[in-house]
């Protein structure tokens, strides 16, 4: 489950901007819970040297402020990581933990 941290917010447009400017970043996916039918859900955290962690939020602002984007494994998390990830391979543990490994 998520741990309280000093975090800033980032949208998909912000991630695109990082990529376009060639700014290096890493991704981390945290298990935040399960859907009603038992599927794991994750949130994406972007990491840059010297910057606070940036939690991915929806571009649409609700009356309660920005909402974190949550991903089911398939197709959401795979598609997001393929398009906006850091190029590392996804690895899932039997407990639904997720790690990222450099491609060989």
């Amino acid at each position: 489950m998520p741990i309280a941290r000093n975090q800033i917010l980032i949208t998909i447009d912000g991630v695109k901007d990082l990529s376009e400017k060639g700014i290096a970043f890493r991704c981390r996916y945290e298990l935040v819970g399960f859907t009603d039918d038992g599927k794991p859900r994750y949130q994406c955290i972007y990491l840059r040297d010297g910057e606070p962690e940036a939690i991915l939020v929806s571009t649409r602002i609700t009356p309660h402020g920005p909402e974190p984007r949550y991903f089911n494994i398939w197709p959401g998390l795979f598609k997001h990581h393929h398009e906006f990830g850091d190029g590392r391979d996804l690895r899932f543990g039997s407990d639904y933990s997720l790690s990222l490994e450099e491609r060989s």
Side-chain angles (χ1 to χ4, degrees):
M1 294 299 166
I3 300 169
R5 298 184 183 94
N6 180 23
Q7 295 178 322
I8 59 175
L9 307 177
I10 192 166
T11 63
I12 289 294
D13 289 335
V15 175
K16 288 177 185 176
D17 191 49
L18 293 176
S19 293
E20 289 169 3
K21 292 180 177 176
I23 298 172
F25 62 85
R26 292 287 193 179
C27 297
R28 183 178 73 234
Y29 297 94
E30 295 182 345
L31 179 65
V32 294
F34 294 87
T35 62
D36 291 340
D37 58 353
K39 295 176 184 166
R41 295 185 81 193
Y42 300 85
Q43 68 182 10
C44 181
I45 308 293
Y46 284 90
L47 310 161
R48 293 179 290 154
D49 287 339
E51 296 287 331
E53 296 179 347
I55 185 170
L56 184 66
V57 295
S58 175
T59 304
R60 288 180 60 191
I61 304 298
T62 70
H64 303 288
E67 298 279 334
R69 290 195 58 183
Y70 296 117
F71 298 98
N72 293 345
I73 292 174
W74 185 261
L77 191 141
F78 279 97
K79 184 175 186 301
H80 175 79
H81 189 70
H82 180 73
E83 291 181 39
F84 304 106
D86 58 19
R88 294 182 292 166
D89 289 333
L90 299 169
R91 303 276 189 243
F92 290 91
S94 60
D95 61 352
Y96 299 111
S97 62
L98 195 148
S99 62
L100 296 146
E101 297 181 8
E102 295 297 332
R103 292 184 177 161
S104 28

